[in-house]
Every structure is written in structure tokens, then in C-alpha cells.
Amino acid sequence: MVQDIRVELTKNKRVKPDMKTVKFGKSFSDHMFLMNYEEGKGWFDPRIVPYGPVEMDMACMVFHYGQEIFEGMKAYRTSEGKVQLFRPTENIRRMAISGERLVMPAVDEDMFLAALKKLLEVDAEWVPSEEATSLYIRPFMIATDVGLGVHASKSYLFSIITCPVGSYYPEGLNPIKIMIESQDVRAVRGGTGIAKCGGNYAASLRASLLAEYKGYSQVLWLDGVERKYIEEVGSMNIMFKVNGEVLTPSLTGSVLAGITRKSCIELMKTWGIDVTERLITVDEIVEAAENGTLEEVWGTGTAAVVSPVGWLTYKDKTFEIGGGKIGTLTQKLYDGLTGIQWGKVPDTLGWTVPVEK
Amino acid sequence: MVQDIRVELTKNKRVKPDMKTVKFGKSFSDHMFLMNYEEGKGWFDPRIVPYGPVEMDMACMVFHYGQEIFEGMKAYRTSEGKVQLFRPTENIRRMAISGERLVMPAVDEDMFLAALKKLLEVDAEWVPSEEATSLYIRPFMIATDVGLGVHASKSYLFSIITCPVGSYYPEGLNPIKIMIESQDVRAVRGGTGIAKCGGNYAASLRASLLAEYKGYSQVLWLDGVERKYIEEVGSMNIMFKVNGEVLTPSLTGSVLAGITRKSCIELMKTWGIDVTERLITVDEIVEAAENGTLEEVWGTGTAAVVSPVGWLTYKDKTFEIGGGKIGTLTQKLYDGLTGIQWGKVPDTLGWTVPVEK
Ligand SMILES: Cc1ncc(COP(=O)(O)O)c(C=O)c1O
Ligand SMILES: Cc1ncc(COP(=O)(O)O)c(C=O)c1O
């Protein structure tokens, strides 16, 4: 059921960032969406209000027990000036799955979509039109019960905030260096890896920071049980082209089911390329790198879309992939997906959802 | 270094709860402690202010990436009316360990202790004097950077809030029912199990809720790798007396190093009882329960101190322990620890720290 959304427009418009220098996730749009939930009452008071701070009690559950989930998606401006979303229903459904793991209520699909569209209408001028830019959209939900007993909260705040972004990697679509992490663990089967929840990212910060100090963009995680299967990157899924075959780790329960991953698989299918989803050991990738059959490696995620990996480091050994250059398939996937997202190529798969205005 | 703490007293005293009916962690004292951190600047502006909401930007990192750690401790009122803390330095050090895992800054030990003492002086009247009551103290730290990139925050808020509490289990010191969880996982070696951070608790909510529906107090977690070693309970460590020997899971990297656990081990040592810390399989506990050698089981944690376990359920089979009655050693530990905490027996181990006033 779609409830009416109350709109309170800002009286103090925020300054728009320079899209050439804007940092990812630092400049927020004029408005945000908020909606509250209470057990027994359900969701209520959907509203769009000026972006700004919210008063929070220090005993709010979200500050103590990490009951928080989020999504990440984008709105794109097409060359005709229209604004469109990319597979928003996938994000809405994944958020419900995250909520199931963390015992948090789902937001009605139609209501969620209505909130997204309304917010984008109100802040339409925040969807940038410069090359390779978009409006990053962050729906999230936090536990708002005031109290310190370890229990699922009975009240929640659902919010959507947005920020105009350039390319995720300041260097642009250049191959990145990835370090395979063999110490810290991000998620484990039975844990919260399938959910997009705060705790997974908190667990990942130390390894990411150490990797960054050493000059790597991100960390590639191994499974938490045997520490030998490749799972995913900090904020991307990963794909390999080995000896002509495209491989990606299967969704075993501790990997996030990326929407870009799914879209890459489906897009390649239309190109006649079958992607093998299975358990992939780090050893076989190292072997392929050593014997020269590791042709391409790339990450997939909303922020960077498709990100070529030029160097993989495992236990202090670094392997260069494809001469540190962008692979043909990687480039084709990037062009294919971003082409649909920015409306440059026909959306034959029905992935985009237009936003009026 | 101990910085001066600014004190702003409340003008609107809060109503104190009835200590007979007060719920755990629901009624907060008049004041709270706050202190900010910024990279390059360190901790600044330590202050005690009226308990109340704080303005938070919706893009604050704590809402998205779960970078949050906490502690739980208590202040006790002795029969002479004095207020004392129990091993506060242990909590202060554990919080630094949690911070190390989540890349968050430590609070100077002396500063932390000064903050605790000052807050307790200001809110001394909130330390209740009724039998089995205490003032629960919740120090916690949250990431306050405003921004959506997945990175360790560069700014933090450290806070201490307090609330008068009765017994953690409303039924009093009665044996509880525990369900051994075989599906969900709370923590894994390499993950964040050794840290007291939000994500671990978020991961535990679903199993705890399901267990509660079935009439259990809490869940007993197995290790995330082999799912056969006993780890800990939702908010307690666990100890077993099998055939005269006291056993507790060793601190393998995914179990919280409980201060009550440590205190029980040290207290038993003074009684001539050696505690064996080792890997304990669920199978050997089931076997001991079946052949009648499982004499006592109890949980240890700040909230409940020592909590007798009367029934353990594993895969739909329930084992009654000690006829569902409190065991002799369990009772002796409870009396011994709470005796020291409430100043009823001499503190020969130097565990208590008096708070002036
Ligand atoms: C851990 C993790 N894996 C994978 C992804 C990729 O998912 P998607 O393609 O839906 O953006 C993300 C984030 O976006 C992520 O945070
Ligand atoms: C997961 C967990 N294990 C064990 C404990 C017991 O630790 P302590 O005795 O320090 O309170 C707690 C909490 O207090 C806990 O949250």
C-alpha cells in the first residue's frame, strides 16, 4: 500500500558540489526521505524533509547493537535530460532479505518505489548530467528503540538520502590493485554476509585500511570457514576470465548477491557467454595467473559499476593480469551496463525505470 | 592524561523508577558523559551534560557501517552507603581491544576512569540501594564522520550513559533454559567475536528471538567454522562442572573475554578449584548430560553475574541439569562475586574501586 508522502521543502538550498572534484558520498542533496515504524502500527508518516540532522537518544539500539541495514543504488540522467533508476526493485527486495536476517521489517515494494520517485522528483536538479556522474541513493533502516536490553527493536527509522557522485575511483576506469586478505574475516556462512548490514562493513575496515596503506584499492575476502574460497571484494563482487571461461563465486550464503553481478551475468548471456557460478579457490586463481590463463579480472558493484583488476596480491606475491590493462570483456561489460544506465543504448532487458519530471 | 571535565547540571530532574519493577536498561539517569575525537586532534571537550537526545546527521558512519563498540559494567552501593565499581580497568582495556579490531581510537585509561567517577559523583543518587540492584553503566563509542565511503571514520563520539537496574532475569536467580543454536552464527575467528561491537549482537538477534518464542532465555553459540565447539551465550560466557571438573571454552578468538568469567576463574582458584580452559565440543556436553556427569552449568556476565542453567536443548533434545536446581558451586560463585560487589564480604582480591561521595 502506498501512503501519501508529506513534503516539506527546504528554505535553504544547499550548494551543489563541483562535479569534477566531488568526493564519493560527501555532498548531500537538499532533501531526505524519512518514515517511522512501530510494532503493531506498521510504517507511518512517510515524509520528505530538508536534509539535516535528526535527534537521537544515546540509548537508541542502533548505537549499541548494530541493527542497521542499507542499500546502494543510483539515478542516472540520460542524454535527453530524463532521470532513470536501474533495477530498483532488486535493491528493494535485497533490503527485505537483509531485514529478514536482522529481524527488521520490510518496506512495502510500491511504497519504497514511490518514495524513491518522489524524492528524485523533489531533488531532480541534484541528478548531475556530467559524463560518468550520477546521483547515488542510500536507503537505510536503523533500530530506534531506546533501551539497552539485547533484543530486536520494536521501532525503526527508514530513510533515503542521496548524493551526486562522479566516478567511484578517482583515477577513473583504470585497473586497480587488490589484496587477497588472509587474516581478517568479513562474514561467514550462518552469519550476516548475505545481508547488507553495518556489522559486515565494520568487520572489514581494519583489513581495508591496512591494504590501503600498502597501496591497494580494496581487499578480496576469502571464506571464513576454510579460508580458501574466494568470496567478494569490499564493495564489489568479483569475476574472472580463465582460459576463455567466465567464473564468479557462487552465492553460498556469505557473499552479497550483487545486482551488478546479476546484471553482468544476464548481459553476458545475451551475448552468448555463459558464466559459471561455483566455488573458486584462491589456489586455482593463483595457478591460472602463474600459467598465463588468467585473462581478465573485474569487480562489479553499483558504485564503480565494472572495475578492472590489474594486480592481485596474495601472501606477498603480486600477479599482473592482462599486462595491467583493461580487458576486452571488462570494457565491453562496462560500456554495456553504463550504456543502459545512462540511456545511451536501448534497454532491451527492461532494467531502467523512468522518474517523471 | 586526564582532561578537565565540564559539568552542566540538569534543570529537569528525571523521575526515578520503582526498583521493584524497573526493566533492564529502560530508565536512564539525569546525566551522561560525552567526549569527541578527531584525527590529528585527539579526544576533546569531555563533558557531563543532562541526559537527552543528540543531533546526528543521517550520513553519520555509525548508521551505515556499524563502527560502534561498547562496554557494560556496574556501580554497586555497599551496605554503608558507599558507591563502588567492579574491576573497571578490565572494561577500559577490553574497550581498547574492541577498538583495535574496529580501527577506533582508545580512550586514555585515567581519563576513562575519571569520567566514570565524575559521572557517578554527579548522579550518585541514581545508584540504588535495594537488594540485588545496581547502576548499569554503558560506555560506548560511535563513528561520527559524515559520509558514505566505506572507510574507518576520522571522528568519534565517546559516551557513558547509566541506568539503575534490578536483577537481569526478572525471575531472579532461577535456573534458565538455554537453546544450543545450530543454524545462525554470531562470530567467527578472524571476525569480530573478540570485540564488543554492534555487529555481533545484530547477528545474534534472529536466533535469540526464535529461542525466546520457544521459551528459552538465551541461545548458546557454537563456533562458526566447525559448528561443534561451544563458545558463549548471548550476553554471558559459559562454564560447566563435569564429573567434578570445572570447564569453560578457551578464548579462541571468537569468544568475548568476559570479566565475570575471568573473575570466576580467579575466585575459584582462591578456593583451590582449577578451571580448565579448552575447546569443548557440544557432543561431550551432551554425552555428560546423558551419562549423568554434567553436574552444573552456569553463565557468567556483568548483567546477571552468575546465572544457573537448568535446561540445555540441542537439536530438539532437552537435558535437565542438576534436577533443574541451582548447583552448589554456582550458588557459591554467585554469593562470592555479588558479596564482593556489594561490599558484603572483604575484597581480598582488590577488585573494587571506590567512588568518592
Ligand atoms: C560487500 C559488497 N559486495 C558486493 C557489492 C555489489 O553489489 P551491487 O552490485 O548490488 O552494488 C556491494 C555493494 O554494493 C557490497 O557492499
Ligand atoms: C557476548 C558476550 N559474552 C560474554 C559476556 C560477559 O562479559 P562480562 O562478564 O565482561 O560482562 C557479555 C557481556 O557482558 C557478552 O555480551
Side-chain angles (χ1 to χ4, degrees), chain B residues 115-227:
Chain B
L116 283 170
K117 286 183 174 178
K118 189 80 189 172
L119 185 62
L120 289 173
E121 275 174 51
V122 170
D123 276 339
E125 60 189 78
W126 284 86
V127 185
S129 52
E130 287 84 350
E131 180 73 23
T133 63
S134 55
L135 186 74
Y136 183 78
I137 303 171
R138 168 59 55 90
F140 66 105
M141 193 190 298
I142 57 179
T144 50
D145 268 11
V146 173
L148 298 182
V150 181
H151 279 288
S153 184
K154 294 185 194 313
S155 61
Y156 296 91
L157 177 67
F158 172 67
S159 174
I160 308 174
I161 56 178
T162 69
C163 44
V165 293
S167 247
Y168 193 75
Y169 295 100
E171 324 93 81
L173 190 69
N174 275 324
I176 56 169
K177 290 184 190 173
I178 296 273
M179 202 187 83
I180 301 177
E181 173 65 24
S182 35
Q183 200 144 11
D184 281 359
V185 170
R186 186 195 98 96
V188 68
R189 280 192 282 291
T192 54
I194 48 154
K196 212 163 158 70
C197 65
N200 297 339
Y201 297 84
S204 80
L205 295 174
R206 181 170 69 178
S208 305
L209 194 71
L210 289 175
E212 219 174 274
Y213 278 141
K214 294 186 190 159
Y216 299 93
S217 293
Q218 289 195 31
V219 147
L220 178 59
W221 297 100
L222 298 182
D223 78 285
V225 175
E226 302 188 54
R227 306 280 185 101

Side-chain angles (χ1 to χ4, degrees), chain A residues 3 6 33-39 41-47 49 54-56 105-107 111 140-145 154-159, chain B residues 58:
Chain A
Q3 302 176 47
R6 174 164 66 84
F33 176 83
L34 298 174
M35 179 164 70
N36 293 86
Y37 177 92
E38 269 172 34
E39 199 179 75
K41 187 172 176 179
W43 290 106
F44 62 93
D45 198 13
R47 57 203 185 273
V49 295
V54 169
E55 287 207 332
M56 302 280 296
V107 175
M111 180 71 229
F140 65 106
M141 194 191 298
I142 57 178
T144 50
D145 268 12
K154 294 185 195 311
S155 61
Y156 297 90
L157 177 68
F158 173 68
S159 174
Chain B
M58 285 288 95

Side-chain angles (χ1 to χ4, degrees), chain A residues 20-21 34 49 65 87 101 120 184 194 209 216 235 261 272-273 286 317 328 336 345:
Chain A
K20 283 199 200 68
T21 54
L34 298 174
V49 295
Y65 306 127
R87 311 190 85 176
R101 180 62 184 85
L120 289 173
D184 282 358
I194 47 152
L209 194 70
Y216 299 94
S235 55
R261 172 187 183 278
I273 300 170
V286 165
K317 249 184 148 168
T328 321
V345 304

Side-chain angles (χ1 to χ4, degrees), chain A residues 189-222:
Chain A
R189 280 192 281 291
T192 54
I194 47 152
K196 211 162 160 69
C197 65
N200 297 339
Y201 297 83
S204 80
L205 295 174
R206 182 169 69 180
S208 306
L209 194 70
L210 289 175
E212 218 173 275
Y213 279 139
K214 294 185 190 159
Y216 299 94
S217 293
Q218 288 195 33
V219 148
L220 177 60
W221 297 101
L222 299 181

Side-chain angles (χ1 to χ4, degrees), chain A residues 51 54 56-57 62 66 68 185 190, chain B residues 51 56-57 62 66 68 185 190:
Chain A
Y51 184 91
V54 169
M56 302 280 296
D57 194 291
V62 66
E68 56 189 59
V185 170
Chain B
Y51 184 93
M56 303 279 296
D57 195 290
V62 65
E68 56 188 58
V185 170

Side-chain angles (χ1 to χ4, degrees), chain B residues 100-343:
Chain B
E100 200 276 320
R101 180 63 184 84
L102 274 84
V103 221
M104 301 169 80
V107 175
D108 175 86
E109 268 185 48
D110 294 332
M111 180 71 228
F112 198 142
L113 200 57
L116 283 170
K117 286 183 174 178
K118 189 80 189 172
L119 185 62
L120 289 173
E121 275 174 51
V122 170
D123 276 339
E125 60 189 78
W126 284 86
V127 185
S129 52
E130 287 84 350
E131 180 73 23
T133 63
S134 55
L135 186 74
Y136 183 78
I137 303 171
R138 168 59 55 90
F140 66 105
M141 193 190 298
I142 57 179
T144 50
D145 268 11
V146 173
L148 298 182
V150 181
H151 279 288
S153 184
K154 294 185 194 313
S155 61
Y156 296 91
L157 177 67
F158 172 67
S159 174
I160 308 174
I161 56 178
T162 69
C163 44
V165 293
S167 247
Y168 193 75
Y169 295 100
E171 324 93 81
L173 190 69
N174 275 324
I176 56 169
K177 290 184 190 173
I178 296 273
M179 202 187 83
I180 301 177
E181 173 65 24
S182 35
Q183 200 144 11
D184 281 359
V185 170
R186 186 195 98 96
V188 68
R189 280 192 282 291
T192 54
I194 48 154
K196 212 163 158 70
C197 65
N200 297 339
Y201 297 84
S204 80
L205 295 174
R206 181 170 69 178
S208 305
L209 194 71
L210 289 175
E212 219 174 274
Y213 278 141
K214 294 186 190 159
Y216 299 93
S217 293
Q218 289 195 31
V219 147
L220 178 59
W221 297 100
L222 298 182
D223 78 285
V225 175
E226 302 188 54
R227 306 280 185 101
K228 70 179 199 189
Y229 299 110
I230 285 173
E231 298 218 313
E232 63 189 317
V233 184
S235 56
M236 300 192 289
N237 295 105
I238 191 138
M239 299 189 167
F240 303 92
K241 187 162 166 254
V242 181
N243 215 2
E245 186 188 8
V246 180
L247 303 172
T248 195
S250 43
L251 302 175
T252 48
S254 47
V255 173
L256 191 76
I259 293 154
T260 320
R261 173 187 182 279
K262 183 177 181 179
S263 304
C264 281
I265 293 172
E266 292 173 11
L267 195 58
M268 282 188 270
K269 193 158 203 127
T270 68
W271 298 340
I273 301 170
D274 276 327
V275 176
T276 309
E277 299 178 62
R278 63 165 171 85
L279 289 179
I280 300 169
T281 63
V282 62
D283 286 345
E284 67 178 294
I285 295 302
V286 164
E287 198 190 313
E290 282 175 337
N291 69 23
T293 55
L294 184 59
E295 296 158 13
E296 299 186 37
V297 180
W298 65 92
T300 68
T302 295
V305 192
V306 169
S307 200
V309 177
W311 298 268
L312 267 180
T313 300
Y314 182 55
K315 294 188 173 159
D316 293 324
K317 248 183 148 171
T318 297
F319 304 96
E320 190 178 72
I321 299 139
K325 302 246 168 3
I326 305 175
T328 321
L329 183 57
T330 307
Q331 183 72 53
K332 195 176 167 189
L333 275 169
Y334 180 82
D335 294 341
L337 277 182
T338 56
I340 295 170
Q341 289 166 338
W342 276 287

